[in-house]
Amino acid sequence: MQIEDLSVKKDRKWVVIGIGIGVVGMAVLALFGLKLGIGYLRKKRKEQDEESNVLGALKRLPGMSREFRYKDLKKATDDFDESMVLGQGGFGVVYRGVLREKIESIGGSATITEVAVKKFLRDNIKGKDDFWAELTIIHRLRHKHLVRLVGWCYEKGKLLLVYDYMPNGSLEKHLYESSNTLNWRHRYKILAGVASALHYLHNDFDQKVVHRDLKASNILLDSSFNARLGDFGLARAIEDERNSYCELGVAGVPGTMGYVAPECFHTGKATPESDVFGFGAVVLEVVCGKSPGVKIQLGDNLLTLVDWVWMLHREGRIQEAVDERLNDDYEVEEAKRLLLLGLACSNVVDGERPQTQTICQIIAETLPPPHVPPFKPVFTWPSLGVFTYNSLDSAFSNTTSSSRI
């Protein structure tokens, strides 16, 4: 009997110990769960406060465009389906959207509007910075050759911008992907429009704005092939009494190889002159039908587009640079004028590039073509020696891909 009593007592002891451990364990788990819950609620409240502050700031901006609901944009893009993708850049994906809305003032009839919806890839602090930078610039810009901002959405951490839809897509698409060759009239008109937009950004807006990513994929075309400069993800306003913008803490040079001015790789600064360099690359691209980054075989040498055109200019046969797909269906003097302008804008010495007002006058033929020396100037930088494009490959880290907006 004593042995049995000892055994029972021993069992009871372990039961009590087990219950004690279980209670302590449950208490620890409960405390851990409570801590997680409090942390989640604090994070949620912080996000809600942050969203409320951002929304308040956005709505206070003068002339701010329409605010959209996320669910309406989601529906317009078929839940952001891949079949609706127009393009993708370094900041987000652009979707075609179809908005169907009832207008009470016209008897509740439905209106259908096509738009381009830019959904930012990063729904975090950096994404908010990108979203804010683009929105605070583009919402105030008003020019017939800039893509118009229709509205915006900042909801549950989702960041979206809504732009006018451009039915003819990008200039890049028509230069390289379309089976129909872009005719000369359209090419000339497109370059005139982009020059006008650039002049507005540099001189006619209440702040000087540098675009920083001028290229064929960011030039959009409406139904009449009028140019609309888009994608202001890299654009920045220059503060009063300054003539450049420098982005601190960014590795590499923002922009796209072939369109970035050489001095940017040494100074890290964007200027109106560096935008003009990008415009020069676009001019040569449109007239020649070749990308600025293309390598052209000439004997044993490979030349960049600008070097090839400069060589033809030196030899007195610059007309041979014109896109052969045009089959001589173009104005010879206009082509020569644009090629010389493209070379002048591509000058590696930033102070020698024409200003936007001069560019517009040359295209409008109210000024003669620019004087271009027979030999391309050599880029040098104090204490750094002679500059070559081959030295840029390792320095260039923030290349943006093709995008419709």
Side-chain angles (χ1 to χ4, degrees):
M1 289 294 293
Q2 289 180 350
I3 294 174
E4 289 181 2
D5 289 343
L6 287 173
S7 177
V8 170
K9 288 180 179 179
K10 190 174 183 181
D11 289 342
R12 288 175 179 173
K13 178 182 177 182
W14 283 110
V15 169
V16 171
I17 292 173
I19 292 173
I21 292 173
V23 170
V24 172
M26 290 294 289
V28 169
L29 286 174
L31 287 172
F32 183 70
L34 182 62
K35 185 177 180 180
L36 285 178
I38 292 173
Y40 173 79
L41 290 174
R42 285 177 176 173
K43 181 181 178 182
K44 199 71 176 174
R45 177 171 291 180
K46 183 178 179 181
E47 289 176 351
Q48 290 173 346
D49 290 343
E50 182 181 352
E51 184 167 318
S52 177
N53 291 335
V54 172
L55 284 172
L58 288 173
K59 291 176 181 179
R60 286 193 298 271
L61 288 174
M64 177 50 68
S65 53
R66 174 182 172 186
E67 179 185 2
F68 284 89
R69 294 184 300 179
Y70 180 77
K71 69 175 186 179
D72 292 336
L73 297 180
K74 184 177 180 181
K75 182 178 179 181
T77 57
D78 290 340
D79 197 8
F80 301 101
D81 190 81
E82 286 187 7
S83 64
M84 304 293 276
V85 172
L86 296 174
Q88 181 170 337
F91 295 90
V93 182
V94 182
Y95 298 85
R96 174 177 167 268
V98 181
L99 292 170
R100 294 177 174 85
E101 301 173 291
K102 287 186 178 181
I103 308 298
E104 299 299 332
S105 60
I106 55 175
S109 299
T111 62
I112 298 177
T113 307
E114 287 186 295
V115 293
V117 180
K118 181 174 184 177
K119 185 180 183 185
F120 282 73
L121 291 172
R122 299 172 289 187
D123 296 331
N124 54 23
I125 293 175
K126 180 59 179 171
K128 291 181 179 69
D129 290 344
D130 299 336
F131 171 82
W132 182 264
E134 182 166 352
L135 182 56
T136 51
I137 289 177
I138 192 67
H139 91 276
R140 295 184 294 144
L141 299 176
R142 300 288 186 273
H143 192 273
K144 64 180 180 179
H145 290 297
L146 296 178
V147 176
R148 184 178 70 93
L149 180 70
V150 176
W152 55 279
C153 174
Y154 182 87
E155 186 177 321
K156 298 178 181 177
K158 304 298 182 183
L159 311 168
L160 303 104
L161 295 177
V162 184
Y163 288 94
D164 275 341
Y165 175 70
M166 295 289 109
N168 274 315
S170 71
L171 173 60
E172 180 184 59
K173 177 186 118 179
H174 286 276
L175 287 175
Y176 307 117
E177 300 174 21
S178 176
S179 57
N180 297 319
T181 301
L182 192 64
N183 69 48
W184 181 252
R185 284 294 101 214
H186 284 154
R187 296 188 195 209
Y188 204 91
K189 180 170 70 169
I190 288 166
L191 291 175
V194 176
S196 177
L198 203 58
H199 179 68
Y200 168 78
L201 293 176
H202 291 177
N203 300 282
D204 290 343
F205 186 54
D206 58 6
Q207 278 186 291
K208 194 180 294 291
V209 174
V210 286
H211 187 274
R212 300 205 300 168
D213 201 17
L214 194 60
K215 58 183 179 179
S217 61
N218 287 339
I219 297 168
L220 307 179
L221 307 174
D222 66 15
S223 57
S224 299
F225 284 88
N226 294 303
R228 301 285 190 91
L229 182 58
D231 199 338
F232 281 75
L234 290 178
R236 295 294 184 270
I238 298 177
E239 295 179 10
D240 293 341
E241 299 182 1
R242 295 189 176 220
N243 59 6
S244 66
Y245 174 84
C246 183
E247 192 160 3
L248 301 176
V250 175
V253 179
T256 303
M257 180 61 89
Y259 301 89
V260 179
E263 69 272 9
C264 294
F265 294 94
H266 295 296
T267 66
K269 296 178 180 180
T271 64
E273 290 76 22
S274 60
D275 270 356
V276 168
F277 184 92
F279 177 75
V282 170
V283 171
L284 296 181
E285 183 173 16
V286 169
V287 178
C288 303
K290 293 178 174 63
S291 168
V294 72
K295 300 295 184 181
I296 301 171
Q297 185 80 42
L298 193 68
D300 295 331
N301 299 318
L302 287 175
L303 301 180
T304 63
L305 177 61
V306 65
D307 287 336
W308 178 63
V309 177
W310 220 299
M311 181 207 70
L312 292 175
H313 165 58
R314 182 171 62 253
E315 296 178 356
R317 50 195 184 100
I318 195 171
Q319 184 183 334
E320 294 180 21
V322 178
D323 191 348
E324 58 188 18
R325 293 174 297 175
L326 289 169
N327 295 319
D328 296 327
D329 187 15
Y330 63 92
E331 296 293 331
V332 175
E333 293 306 314
E334 287 182 349
K336 290 181 178 179
R337 172 183 294 270
L338 288 181
L339 287 168
L340 289 172
L341 176 61
L343 290 181
C345 293
S346 301
N347 197 315
V348 293
V349 182
D350 58 350
E352 296 297 319
R353 297 169 200 154
Q355 295 185 348
T356 53
Q357 182 174 358
T358 301
I359 291 171
C360 292
Q361 290 173 326
I362 290 172
I363 293 176
E365 301 185 14
T366 58
L367 281 180
H371 170 73
V372 177
F375 290 91
K376 179 183 175 182
V378 176
F379 181 86
T380 60
W381 197 256
S383 304
L384 293 176
V386 177
F387 169 92
T388 65
Y389 269 97
N390 293 333
S391 67
L392 297 182
D393 293 339
S394 61
F396 194 88
S397 66
N398 195 22
T399 302
T400 56
S401 59
S402 176
S403 173
R404 295 282 179 88
I405 289 292

